[in-house]
Amino acid sequence: KESIINEKGVKIFCEYKMNYSKDLIDDKNAPEEISIKHSNSSFPTTYISNCLFQSPDITIVSHGGNMIVVEELLIDLLMEFEINANAVFPSIIKPLPLVDIEEGIKDASIVLVLEESPTAFGWSSEVIASLYETGALNEKKIIRLGAKEHPIPSATQLEEKVLPSKNDIIFLLKQELSF
């Protein structure tokens, strides 16, 4: 029997069960509306954009399973709302790759930090605090969204109700940005 560990290529194991059957976009299979680049750091950060990384209205910082949600969101933001957006996905969450995140948010006036756990005392709090301490936030508007304040269920159908969805993000952005 072959195990996935013995297969060639990068493997991502995540708890986000809704993504088990989905492929992450990469340079070879990205929709034409999406551009991808990577940092040169030891643990590369992935940057995706619906505006060729030029003049984003918003930049989303997230990690893990949210990448697939954000991939779909970037296309919808561009096509339905004409919003230019970038996204920053560190491949590690600790230590926080601040230089990569700072690079990803530098041109944005609005930063959404999206996480899979509830926002209280979570990853988004640490990202925002760290960026504030370095002066990278300047006068940027900061928004954050995470899972509902419940334990994340094991059943996929229940997990979908707790974790942030594309519709949750659009609803929040409509409230915050009045579009």
Side-chain angles (χ1 to χ4, degrees):
K1 291 183 177 180
E2 289 284 321
S3 77
I4 195 163
I5 302 296
N6 294 330
E7 291 182 18
K8 292 183 180 183
V10 176
K11 303 295 177 260
I12 297 177
F13 296 92
C14 59
E15 293 182 21
Y16 207 144
K17 290 169 281 307
M18 292 179 288
N19 291 342
Y20 282 178
S21 62
K22 296 182 180 179
D23 291 328
L24 295 175
I25 61 169
D26 59 27
D27 301 327
K28 296 175 188 83
N29 69 358
E32 68 178 68
E33 301 88 359
I34 299 294
S35 303
I36 301 173
K37 64 182 182 178
H38 306 279
S39 69
N40 292 323
S41 53
S42 298
F43 297 95
T45 294
T46 299
Y47 305 97
I48 62 176
S49 176
N50 70 8
C51 59
L52 301 172
F53 301 104
Q54 298 176 9
S55 304
D57 299 310
I58 185 169
T59 295
I60 301 166
V61 180
S62 193
H63 64 89
N66 281 329
M67 188 172 201
I68 290 174
V69 173
V70 173
E71 291 168 7
E72 295 171 3
L73 175 69
L74 290 185
I75 294 170
D76 286 357
L77 289 176
L78 179 64
M79 299 302 208
E80 292 182 34
F81 305 104
E82 297 181 357
I83 292 177
N84 291 340
N86 291 345
V88 180
F89 288 93
S91 60
I92 58 172
I93 59 174
K94 185 181 178 196
L96 200 57
L98 275 176
V99 171
D100 289 355
I101 296 172
E102 288 172 358
E103 176 65 24
I105 69 166
K106 70 180 180 187
D107 296 327
S109 57
I110 302 166
V111 176
L112 167 62
V113 184
L114 177 66
E115 65 180 305
E116 297 170 343
S117 58
T119 56
F121 309 99
W123 185 76
S124 64
S125 300
E126 188 60 31
V127 169
I128 294 165
S130 298
L131 291 170
Y132 175 81
E133 289 170 353
T134 67
L137 294 180
N138 300 322
E139 296 180 15
K140 297 179 188 311
K141 179 175 180 69
I142 307 302
I143 307 168
R144 62 187 183 144
L145 179 64
K148 293 176 179 59
E149 293 286 335
H150 301 289
I152 297 175
S154 296
T156 303
Q157 296 86 349
L158 297 175
E159 183 183 56
E160 289 175 348
K161 295 179 186 301
V162 173
L163 296 175
S165 69
K166 180 178 70 170
N167 290 336
D168 294 334
I169 300 166
I170 290 172
F171 180 79
L172 175 67
L173 292 178
K174 282 181 176 180
Q175 286 183 314
E176 293 287 333
L177 308 179
S178 304
F179 67 85

